[in-house]
Amino acid sequence: LSSCTPPGMWWRKNPQMSTSFPGNLHLVLVLHPSGLLSSAPSPSSSTDLGFRFSQDDFLLKMPVVMLRSVGDLLRYIDENHLTSDFTAKVEYCQSDWIVLRTAIETFAVTVKEIAQLLQGFGSELSETELPDEASAIEFLLHSHTHRYRQMKDDIRSVLKEGRLLLSNLETVKASKRDVEEERDLKSDMDTVHRLLTQLRDMEEAFDGFFEKHHLKMQQYLQLLHYEMSFQQMEEVLERITNQEMGIASVGTTVVQTEQLLTDLAKLDTHAQEEMARAQVVILHGHQMATNHHYALALIIQRCNELRHRCDIITTAIRTKRASLSRARDLLLRLEGALRWCDEGAYLLASQMVDKFQTREGAQEALQYLSFHQERAPSALKNSQDILSLELEAILTPQLQVTHQKLNSMLSMIRNREQCLKKLADVQVRPIQLVAPRPEPDHTSQRCKSPLFSPKHGTTPSNGPLSHSIAVTTLISKVWICFHGLDSAHVLHIMKELIATERIYVDELLSVLLGYRAEMEDPSMSNLLPSALRSQKDVLFGNMPEIYQFHSRIFLQDLQGCLETPERVGACFLQRKKKFQVYERYCQNKPHSELLWRQCSDSPFFQECQNKLDHKLGLNSYLLKPVQRLTKYQLLLKELLKHCTEERYRYELQEALNSMLELLKSVNDSMHQIAITGYQGDLSQLGRVVMQGGFSVWISHKRAAVRMKELARFKPMQRHLFLYDLALLFCKRRDDDTYDRTPFYSFKSCLRMSAVGITENVKGDVKKFEIWYSGREVVYIVQAPTLEVKVAWLTEIRKILTNQQKMRQGFYHCYNSFAASTVCVHHFLKCLI
């Protein structure tokens, strides 16, 4: 006891000590405070002041010795075991010890509270439902970031407090010389070290979790903004397409055609501005894809759709401008030809027959005719076949009318020239000349000509009237041009399909020769990294097989459909099985990408790219087969829009369905290769019919398992794979790799022969039951949407129905076999 503490007071202030000490105390030494008592009690008294003050605490009677000075105390206790309060050698302060101990306990409680706060915040982030509005996402990002920074400040403050506490402990330890005290202080320092380490680990884990969550939120916000930009851009391009289709491909007059060209030029300017904006959206999509956005497939599809729309608009405007320019040129030629014909008709009609009686008159008339023929339109001197080929049959009816008038006029001029030449060469005779005989035939021929009518006689044809005949014919036949509009569009689609197919084949060949073959070239071996040696089949997959199919088979098939585009659907359906090569290519794609990421910086690839003069790297060309599949279904959709005949529409629709089914199959197979932990061969389960994520509850008949499952209030998140012969339950796990590729941990397998379904579950329209082995185990499955539920139930019913039909067929065959066996036995018995 300290000399400043009244006797018995320390025990009353420390009831815990008073309860634990009596079992171990044998003697109580009380150092008498100076001036407190006037007389000293007996040293051996058992009823002295110290005992009386503490008898409420000490229920056991024990000897109490009252001491008058520290010197008396030293007779009982060695000075090396006393603290400085008793002027001894042990450096100890009760208050300092309490402060340090309190600080350690407070720090431990604070670390525990920080851990609880981090866990609560993490759970809140995981369970947060993502809204569909960008403003709400931005608010969540701001609020989550603000709270994250606050927590980071709290963690830094606690870390600072821990480091300060550790520093204080080190200071105290340095001043201590007692081995036992140093050991106690070292234990306290280890505790603080451990708490600091736990706090840093929690901070690091929380930083990683928040970074992933924050990145996903940002990518989701980017996807929302990108989808809005895509929808706006799609609407604008749709309006431009409608405006382009509203501009006629052919005008009836030169003025109208000029106006159509002006309107098309304005539309082209507007379209170029909007397509520049579309290119910005596409570039933004590529940047998002480069940053490994989780919605990579959707973004690539959106970019391809925008690019395809822009290509269609550009080609349509270019084709229409060329068509209108040719139409304007032809209309100008038609007007010039019509004027020349009208002038020729007037010239023939105005020549007086009596002037032909002299040689000079005939020669003068011949000169007029020669001069008029020299002024004939040079373009219309060619044959009709050459003109039709040159102008691609634009305004063919008008061209025929004009050409007919031109032939008639030339025939009339030739007849007149023949007559005039005979008159010019003949000698003058003293007889009266009469009108040459060919004149009546010429008049008759002139009456039959389209340039004249019987009532005009020899009156010259009126120019405007003649031109009005051509315009009338043009208006009466204009439906032919409009009828060819869809055909022209279909032809454009077919040309695009064949041209892009040819480019695709050339790109595949350049990759195979410029990269794959170079891997076997000895002169390039010094540039080839060791990780790539003997790995060409991993890097390129079955690209050679894809190239062989397209270059030798499919390209020729498409070229054969150029004149008969209605056969395109049948062409795709005929080669449906050949397209399965893409499934193997896409299944190898993750391995190829992994190898590419490991070796992309190799000088080998740079050298190959420089030789090929490619602007893009090899990884862009390895993506071409996947992009080509998407392109096919877009082109088939465009052909289907412009096909009117039901038979060919059915073939095109079937071809489109087959390509969409192939894309789905490729996607499903790429998910299937990510399944881990399945003890068996997945190929034995049949084809992958469907796959997707669901919430699942499990119920068992066994009581113990059932109670365990009932304790699970939250559903399990499972990824289901439906095969022809089995249903697999897996757990999706997102691997923390470079491309964040998910994989699926196998959990259970249900044979479809023992599966049953209950389509409706009370309380939720999106739920249904899958029960196994006579409801021994029941899986309550909740689909993300009602449409997904209906699609899965439809496919499951098909599989179960097919299995039932197969069993019925087996039983029928078995019964027939048994009946025939009985008949054979009966027949043999009769024979015997």
Side-chain angles (χ1 to χ4, degrees), residues 639-653:
L639 284 173
L640 192 59
K641 287 181 183 177
H642 300 281
C643 182
T644 56
E645 191 168 350
E646 190 61 32
R647 171 192 169 188
Y648 299 126
R649 280 187 61 85
Y650 173 78
E651 290 180 350
L652 284 172
Q653 185 64 54

Side-chain angles (χ1 to χ4, degrees), residues 221-236:
L221 180 61
Q222 291 175 355
L223 186 62
L224 278 181
H225 286 307
Y226 185 76
E227 192 67 21
M228 291 172 59
S229 302
F230 171 78
Q231 295 294 340
Q232 294 172 359
M233 204 69 252
E234 193 176 39
E235 292 176 1
V236 171

Side-chain angles (χ1 to χ4, degrees), residues 172-444:
V172 173
K173 181 183 176 184
S175 64
K176 297 297 181 182
R177 297 181 179 178
D178 187 68
V179 176
E180 185 176 352
E181 290 185 3
E182 287 185 0
R183 185 166 55 250
D184 294 339
L185 285 171
K186 186 177 184 305
S187 175
D188 293 339
M189 291 174 65
D190 292 341
T191 301
V192 175
H193 268 300
R194 187 177 66 255
L195 292 173
L196 284 172
T197 303
Q198 291 177 0
L199 190 58
R200 292 191 194 98
D201 292 342
M202 286 189 294
E203 180 185 17
E204 184 179 354
F206 179 68
D207 288 343
F209 170 76
F210 185 79
E211 181 183 355
K212 290 181 181 178
H213 174 78
H214 195 69
L215 177 62
K216 184 177 180 182
M217 294 278 285
Q218 286 179 330
Q219 289 185 345
Y220 181 70
L221 180 61
Q222 291 175 355
L223 186 62
L224 278 181
H225 286 307
Y226 185 76
E227 192 67 21
M228 291 172 59
S229 302
F230 171 78
Q231 295 294 340
Q232 294 172 359
M233 204 69 252
E234 193 176 39
E235 292 176 1
V236 171
L237 295 179
E238 183 68 26
R239 286 197 299 269
I240 293 176
T241 301
N242 294 334
Q243 293 173 7
E244 182 272 327
M245 295 178 68
I247 298 177
S249 299
V250 175
T252 57
T253 64
V254 175
V255 176
Q256 183 186 7
T257 306
E258 291 283 357
Q259 184 60 44
L260 290 174
L261 281 169
T262 303
D263 295 342
L264 188 64
K266 293 179 180 178
L267 179 62
D268 188 21
T269 303
H270 175 60
Q272 292 298 329
E273 295 174 355
E274 296 299 336
M275 285 190 291
R277 289 179 52 214
Q279 289 299 324
V280 173
V281 176
I282 293 172
L283 179 61
H284 184 207
H286 283 305
Q287 291 174 347
M288 291 170 63
T290 305
N291 294 330
H292 305 286
H293 198 283
Y294 68 88
L296 177 63
L298 177 62
I299 293 172
I300 291 177
Q301 180 181 355
R302 292 289 190 249
C303 292
N304 289 338
E305 289 178 6
L306 282 181
R307 191 181 294 108
H308 180 66
R309 276 188 170 275
C310 291
D311 292 344
I312 289 177
I313 291 174
T314 302
T315 307
I317 291 178
R318 184 172 61 247
T319 303
K320 187 158 292 186
R321 183 188 294 110
S323 175
L324 286 171
S325 299
R326 289 194 296 268
R328 178 185 58 187
D329 179 62
L330 182 56
L331 285 171
L332 290 172
R333 297 185 193 184
L334 289 176
E335 287 187 352
L338 290 172
R339 284 194 300 271
W340 184 82
C341 289
D342 291 341
E343 291 172 359
Y346 178 77
L347 176 63
L348 291 176
S350 62
Q351 286 180 341
M352 303 304 294
V353 178
D354 55 350
K355 292 184 178 181
F356 300 162
Q357 305 303 319
T358 64
R359 184 174 181 179
E360 292 78 7
Q363 290 177 346
E364 182 181 2
L366 278 173
Q367 289 178 357
Y368 280 117
L369 291 178
S370 299
F371 177 72
H372 183 67
Q373 289 187 78
E374 290 175 359
R375 292 171 51 241
S378 59
L380 291 179
K381 292 179 181 178
N382 299 325
S383 66
Q384 181 179 353
D385 295 336
I386 297 176
L387 286 174
S388 300
L389 183 62
E390 178 188 354
L391 299 173
E392 295 185 3
I394 295 177
L395 299 176
T396 301
Q398 291 72 24
L399 182 63
Q400 291 176 349
V401 171
T402 305
H403 196 66
Q404 183 180 0
K405 294 176 71 173
L406 178 65
N407 288 336
S408 300
M409 179 55 58
L410 291 174
S411 176
M412 292 165 62
I413 290 176
R414 281 195 296 269
N415 290 336
R416 179 66 61 88
E417 281 181 334
Q418 290 175 1
C419 295
L420 291 173
K421 285 178 179 178
K422 291 179 181 179
L423 291 173
D425 292 339
V426 75
Q427 298 294 329
V428 180
R429 299 181 184 185
I431 55 174
Q432 185 178 0
L433 295 177
V434 297
R437 185 170 295 274
E439 188 67 25
D441 297 335
H442 175 71
T443 304
S444 175

